[in-house]
């Protein structure tokens, strides 16, 4: 598996120092957020090339504030525009995936509404994904939607396209599911993986990957069983006391998880 890190976890961010530090700490790639102008996209591509780092994925920036499930068509239009900017960011940096939270269920947005509205918009976006050969990877997150692995699989399968996949987050799922069960159920639908620490007792994320009680060995075994050899990307907060030391510690934790030594 390939070891990635989210740009927000990297001290220095989108800068020469930030990319150099990620490389020095042993990461193979950096997941970036949506970039809305060609200058920033070119800068990111140049930094990745300079430091021999891949950009495996782009995290869409507007799916929470402007979800595809919103009842207002103008909000949904803005959400689609955010995805188009994400596709452009992916194309400029060589990323193969755009992460998308597909819908958000609220007091005003029913489960059925979330399904139908997001389905219609993703069906349109599918054509862009297929044209650009950049997959739309739907992430499991605390959005009150797609709450079982079988339902998540059904939602993905309805698009009948290899360019609509799952971005599986091991830490996110632990609040209401068992990571290795979900991994096996989603199987080859998984195109990318996020990791973060989580403690099921306190129901809180942790400041380090190994600070909670996730069964990392079982999760890695399940990924091996489904033949997953792709990117595993850390989405963690920076160490406030020593950001530089924190990124090296995170890299070491990921090495231990990959090696089954946790």
């Amino acid at each position: 598996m390939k070891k990635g890190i989210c740009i927000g976890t990297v001290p220095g961010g989108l800068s020469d120092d930030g990319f150099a530090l990620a490389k020095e700490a042993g990461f193979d790639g950096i997941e970036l957020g949506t970039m809305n102008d060609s200058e920033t996209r070119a800068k990111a591509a140049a930094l990745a090339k300079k430091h021999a780092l891949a950009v495996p994925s782009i995290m869409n920036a507007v799916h929470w504030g402007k979800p595809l499930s919103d009842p207002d068509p103008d909000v949904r239009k803005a959400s689609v525009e955010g995805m188009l900017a994400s596709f452009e960011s992916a194309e400029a940096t060589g990323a193969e995936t755009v992460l998308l939270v597909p819908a958000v269920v609220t007091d005003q947005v029913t489960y059925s509404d979330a399904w139908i509205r997001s389905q219609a918009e993703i069906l349109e976006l599918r054509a862009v994904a297929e044209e650009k050969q950049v997959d739309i990877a739907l992430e499991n997150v605390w959005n009150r939607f797609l709450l079982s692995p079988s339902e998540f699989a059904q939602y993905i399968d309805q698009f009948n396209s290899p360019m609509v996949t799952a971005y599986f987050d091991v830490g996110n799922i632990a609040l209401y599911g068992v990571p290795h069960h979900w991994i096996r159920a989603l199987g080859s639908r998984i195109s990318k993986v996020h990791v973060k620490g989580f403690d099921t007792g306190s129901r809180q994320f942790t400041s380090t990957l190994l600070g909670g009680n996730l069964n990392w060995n079982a999760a890695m075994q399940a990924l091996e069983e489904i033949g997953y050899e792709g990117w595993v990307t850390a989405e963690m907060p920076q160490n406030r006391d020593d950001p530089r030391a924190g990124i090296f510690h995170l890299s070491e934790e990921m090495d231990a998880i990959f090696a089954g030594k946790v």
Side-chain angles (χ1 to χ4, degrees), residues 171 195-199 204-206 208-212 214 216 236:
V195 290
K196 53 173 68 84
F198 190 80
D199 183 83
Q204 292 183 340
F205 292 111
T206 56
T208 61
L209 279 179
L210 302 180
L214 297 181
W216 290 110
M236 295 288 294

Side-chain angles (χ1 to χ4, degrees), residues 120-186:
E121 302 295 352
I122 294 171
L123 279 169
E124 295 294 325
L125 288 166
R126 179 184 64 180
V128 183
E130 291 173 346
E131 176 189 352
K132 295 183 179 296
Q133 287 297 290
V134 174
D135 66 290
I136 303 168
L138 310 176
E139 188 179 38
N140 57 288
V141 66
W142 297 357
N143 55 342
R144 304 174 181 172
F145 189 59
L146 305 179
L147 299 176
S148 77
S150 56
E151 184 183 30
F152 200 161
Q154 178 189 357
Y155 186 86
I156 291 171
D157 290 348
Q158 72 182 330
F159 297 107
N160 193 32
S161 172
M163 305 313 293
V164 182
T165 63
Y167 201 132
F168 184 71
D169 191 305
V170 177
N172 283 349
I173 213 67
L175 179 67
Y176 53 90
V178 180
H180 51 276
H181 294 172
W182 277 66
I183 290 168
R184 291 189 177 92
L186 292 174

Side-chain angles (χ1 to χ4, degrees), residues 20-92:
L21 179 57
K23 184 67 175 182
E24 183 184 354
F27 290 94
D28 304 309
I30 297 183
E31 178 176 276
L32 303 177
T34 305
M35 294 163 281
N36 293 310
D37 61 89
S38 57
E39 183 178 352
T40 305
R41 293 167 189 159
K43 175 183 177 181
L47 285 170
K49 182 178 181 180
K50 176 180 178 180
H51 296 285
L53 287 165
V55 179
S57 44
I58 300 294
M59 186 182 293
N60 180 42
V62 302
H63 46 211
W64 281 112
K66 299 174 181 178
L68 292 174
S69 52
D70 197 275
D72 186 340
D74 288 337
V75 173
R76 297 199 300 274
K77 180 181 178 181
S79 189
V80 168
E81 289 171 352
M83 277 296 289
L84 295 178
S86 296
F87 280 123
E88 293 297 326
S89 300
E91 196 168 39

